[in-house]
Structure formats: C-alpha cells, structure tokens
Amino acid sequence: MTNTLTITHTHEAGTLIEGTSKGDGTADVLKRVGWRWGRSIAAWYVPNSRDHLPHHFKINRTVTALRAAGFEVDTELSMEHRPTAEVEAGKIARQADRVDALDAKADRKSTADDAAWNRVESAMARLPEGGEPIHVGHHSEGRHRNAIAKADTAMRRSVEASRDAEHARGRAEAASYTTDRRYRPVTVANRIDTLGAEIRKMERQIVGPVFDHTTGIREATPDEHARRLARLTPYIEEKRDQVAYWEGVRAAQVDTGKATGYSRDTVKKGDRVKVRGHWYSVVRVNAKTVSVQTEYSWTDTVPYAELQDLNRPE
C-alpha cells in the first residue's frame, strides 16, 4: 500500500513534503514540477518558499502531478505569517552563519593550497640540479622520469588548490556583503515602492471584472468579491507588515543621515542635485522622481532615493 504524502507549509519552514522515500518514484515528479532536495534538512522543498505564504499554483500543480503518478496526497498549509522584523532577524542570522562557514572553508582551502605548494617544492627538490637531461638507458632513467612525473602532478594539484582557495575566498567575501546590499538606502526605498505596487495590484484584483467564457468580461458578483477578499487578504496583510518594517528602516536611515529623504516637498525646479557623484539641474519635479537636464537634448528622471545632495541657487 502506498503511503500518503503530505505537503506542508509554514511561514518559517516553507513548503515541504513528508512521506517520500528513496526509490519510490516521487523524485522524478518533484523535480519536474520545480522542487529541490535539501541535503541539510533531508527533505524535498519548494525553492524560495521560506518566509512567504504558500504558493498555491505550484502546490496544486504538484498535487496533480503526484496523483497522476499514483500517489495519495494531502496538504496542510498554514496561512499565518510571522512579523517581518522576525523574518529579517532570521535572514541576518542565517547569512552570518553562512559567512562563517564560507570563511572556514576558505581557510581550509588556503591551508590545502600551502600544503600543495610544499609538495611541489619537495618534488622539485628531487630533480637533478641544473635541469640535467634524462640519461636514456642509464640506471637513473626510471628514477628521473618518476621524479618529473611527480613534480608535474604536484604542480597541477597546486594550481587546482590555489584556484579552489581563491574561489572559496571570493564566495566568502561576496556573502559578507549580502546583508549590507539588502539594506542599502536606495534598495530599501525601491523595495517599499515595489511592495506598495504589489498591494495595489491585489486590491484591484479583489474588485476587478471577471472573464466569463459565455458572456465575456463582466462585473464580479458579491460572492466572487467575497471569495477573492478571503483568498488575498492574508497576502495583503503580509505585504503591509513588510511595508511598515521597511518604512521604519527607511525613517531610521534618514534620521541618521544614511539616506537623504528628499521628496517633491523639498526639491524645486532650478535646484542642483547630486546623482552618482555628478551634479544636474532640476527641470521638473514629479511625484516620485525629478527630471534633470543632461548634456544632451533630453532629460533624465531620477528617483528621490537616488539624490545624494541638493543645492539651491539662492
């Protein structure tokens, strides 16, 4: 009798599946619908599902594919979301652990690189001095050829070890900058705008029209509005919590001077603004951007978050 598979989802753990076993045929199905095997958790999971509400389209697609392959499938999906502050603290902690692990790996690779080079020097020391050629037919021929082969192998392994050490160190350095990049003022401001756009899109979906195969596009009924509202409300609430968190981060950055905080209330036509180290004249003030004069015949628009400084002619 086939065991029942259970797809679970929580905000903290993401989307996982229970009841699979090696060789039972689930691996091929799960790979085909976009799941991955997590060695550290010894389970199949949906990538990027942690810290998010469930992706119903992918889950339903998985259920359909597994049932078509003869498996019994249940789902246990939580629609609760954790506070964004808790989510971000977890991400920062996991990233710090990853940096530590990559640093340790880079250190091990560097030690292996040093050891490989020592073996090169040892192998080179066994070769005859002065680049003496091989004496074919002499009793030393075999020993000489063997020493050359060992030196060649040691050198090749040293080059590989050096490349591995350099790659590992590069990964560690890149990982150490991830959190800083995530909290860059411009990135934070752009994230707030993106989240706001996602919320507005879902709000429009709740009250938007419906496509009917028989009558075409029509107004949604009250029941359809209610079903959409029930389905999308958890996602809207999650996004609103994220906006509140990042707006708090943005306000703190402005208070400390890390971000400039310019807006249409503080920038006027004719002002000079600094963008990426260069100064431009403002020709128009918009709701979310300023239009600046370039050295060409057109103007460029720049988001307020990217303004580094401002000078007023008077």
Side-chain angles (χ1 to χ4, degrees):
M1 181 176 178
T2 303
N3 292 332
T4 299
L5 307 177
T6 304
I7 296 176
T8 66
H9 181 93
T10 63
H11 202 259
E12 183 174 7
T15 304
L16 307 172
I17 186 166
E18 300 174 354
T20 64
S21 59
K22 188 174 182 179
D24 65 356
T26 56
D28 292 337
V29 179
L30 293 173
K31 287 179 183 177
R32 190 168 64 249
V33 293
W35 288 59
R36 292 181 187 171
W37 174 256
R39 286 183 298 175
S40 61
I41 59 176
W44 288 95
Y45 70 98
V46 173
N48 302 316
S49 60
R50 177 188 282 182
D51 301 328
H52 296 283
L53 290 175
H55 193 304
H56 287 287
F57 176 80
K58 178 163 285 189
I59 292 173
N60 292 338
R61 183 185 176 199
T62 302
V63 170
T64 300
L66 287 170
R67 287 176 177 169
F71 296 96
E72 296 182 9
V73 189
D74 289 335
T75 59
E76 296 178 2
L77 312 178
S78 170
M79 296 302 295
E80 298 292 327
H81 71 269
R82 295 179 298 149
T84 305
E86 182 180 333
V87 171
E88 287 299 313
K91 287 182 178 180
I92 292 172
R94 290 194 300 271
Q95 186 62 19
D97 291 341
R98 181 168 181 265
V99 170
D100 290 341
L102 289 173
D103 274 334
K105 182 177 181 180
D107 290 340
R108 291 195 300 272
K109 293 292 185 181
S110 181
T111 300
D113 180 22
D114 293 340
W117 180 248
N118 289 336
R119 287 192 292 272
V120 169
E121 292 182 328
S122 177
M124 295 293 288
R126 297 190 186 97
L127 294 175
E129 296 182 2
E132 183 178 343
I134 298 174
H135 298 293
V136 179
H138 191 265
H139 67 81
S140 64
E141 179 183 357
R143 184 171 64 254
H144 196 160
R145 291 186 184 279
N146 187 47
I148 292 175
K150 287 185 176 180
D152 180 67
T153 300
M155 179 61 75
R156 185 169 58 253
R157 290 177 178 173
S158 176
V159 171
E160 292 173 355
S162 180
R163 185 167 55 243
D164 289 346
E166 183 177 350
H167 178 68
R169 183 59 63 191
R171 288 186 64 196
E173 291 177 356
S176 67
Y177 292 119
T178 298
T179 299
D180 290 341
R181 287 197 300 267
R182 183 171 175 78
Y183 281 79
R184 285 178 60 239
V186 173
T187 303
V188 170
N190 291 339
R191 185 174 293 116
I192 293 170
D193 289 341
T194 300
L195 290 169
E198 292 173 350
I199 291 172
R200 292 190 295 273
K201 180 180 178 180
M202 287 187 284
E203 290 174 338
R204 290 194 299 270
Q205 289 175 348
I206 292 174
V207 298
V210 175
F211 176 77
D212 191 299
H213 289 285
T214 56
T215 62
I217 297 177
R218 60 171 175 79
E219 292 295 320
T221 65
D223 286 344
E224 289 169 333
H225 281 159
R227 286 196 297 270
R228 290 176 180 176
L229 181 64
R231 176 171 58 87
L232 292 175
T233 293
Y235 295 89
I236 293 175
E237 290 178 348
E238 179 192 35
K239 298 294 183 184
R240 285 175 175 165
D241 184 72
Q242 292 171 356
V243 169
Y245 173 82
W246 289 111
E247 285 180 339
V249 172
R250 174 74 177 166
Q253 290 176 338
V254 172
D255 288 342
T256 59
K258 189 174 182 179
T260 53
Y262 293 121
S263 68
R264 69 184 312 171
D265 297 326
T266 55
V267 182
K268 298 180 180 179
K269 181 179 179 180
D271 288 347
R272 298 272 294 171
V273 292
K274 188 177 182 181
V275 182
R276 303 183 192 95
H278 299 280
W279 288 92
Y280 301 91
S281 295
V282 176
V283 296
R284 188 169 57 255
V285 177
N286 313 305
K288 295 186 176 181
T289 63
V290 294
S291 299
V292 298
Q293 184 64 54
T294 68
E295 58 184 0
Y296 307 103
S297 58
W298 60 82
T299 61
D300 283 341
T301 57
V302 182
Y304 287 107
E306 295 187 20
L307 303 184
Q308 299 170 311
D309 201 354
L310 180 146
N311 279 337
R312 189 147 291 155
E314 62 269 18

